[in-house]
Amino acid sequence: MKPLQTCLKVSSTLLSLITVVVLVAAGLIVFSHPGQVQASNTLTFTPVADSYVNQSAPDANFGTRSSIRVDGSPLVHSYLQFDVNGINHSEISKITLRIYANSFSSKGFTVNMVDDNSWQEREITYRNAPAFGDQLGTSDKFPANTWVSVDVTSLLKDDGTVSIALLGINQTAINLAEPL
């Protein structure tokens, strides 16, 4: 697995403690707000898979690349997968995907749920990629060489394997995740 500069923050409301979950690389952070306790824990997860698929090369696999990409034409979608544990049925109030953008975008990208977690980083292609589902959030426009945050609050409800797809909004290619 290559390093992927992404982070997903999750804020939640708990009665007894603050929990922070960080996915370093393609990452996930969970914050819980306590009633009166100001304790803090940090759990770190690394991504189990990340890749992108390209309509122009429907049988090609890009799982060994050091960055991911999205584009509206031709269609290029990125897939990220995490194994999440330790949120323990928290009442999550906010989740934020944070990903590094090597290139600018005047429109941004969307983040969509992927229900099928059976895809493999070194096997996924445009032809065999799982369908993406409900849109979780949309980025704003952004400059190159910056971190981009997207509110994806409906992403997590519990521990387990989680997959998401990033989709381009317009016909401008976007390079994400590995600072150049």
Side-chain angles (χ1 to χ4, degrees), residues 34-175:
Q36 297 178 349
V37 177
Q38 294 297 316
S40 177
N41 291 330
T42 301
L43 304 171
T44 302
F45 300 92
T46 33
V48 294
D50 59 85
S51 188
Y52 66 93
V53 299
N54 188 328
Q55 182 183 34
S56 295
D59 295 314
N61 171 264
F62 301 97
T64 60
R65 301 289 173 99
S66 62
S67 63
I68 57 175
R69 300 169 186 270
V70 298
D71 197 349
S73 180
L75 296 176
V76 177
H77 306 146
S78 286
Y79 287 81
L80 302 171
Q81 187 175 92
F82 318 101
D83 280 338
V84 176
N85 59 48
I87 62 173
N88 300 321
H89 305 286
S90 299
E91 292 180 25
I92 298 169
S93 61
K94 185 167 185 174
I95 303 173
T96 303
L97 173 69
R98 188 170 183 255
I99 189 165
Y100 192 82
N102 290 317
S103 57
F104 85 98
S105 176
S106 62
K107 298 287 184 184
F109 57 88
T110 66
V111 180
N112 292 61
M113 190 68 193
V114 175
D115 291 329
D116 181 354
N117 292 314
S118 65
W119 64 274
Q120 300 293 313
E121 179 178 67
R122 293 179 184 237
E123 296 175 12
I124 190 172
T125 66
Y126 187 84
R127 197 175 309 279
N128 70 14
F132 42 87
D134 293 341
Q135 183 175 309
L136 300 168
T138 303
S139 75
D140 292 326
K141 66 182 182 177
F142 49 85
N145 303 314
T146 190
W147 288 95
V148 178
S149 296
V150 180
D151 185 337
V152 291
T153 299
S154 59
L155 177 61
L156 289 177
K157 306 272 188 277
D158 202 358
D159 293 349
T161 301
V162 176
S163 291
I164 58 175
L166 308 182
L167 313 175
I169 294 175
N170 64 1
Q171 297 179 4
T172 302
I174 304 169
N175 180 301

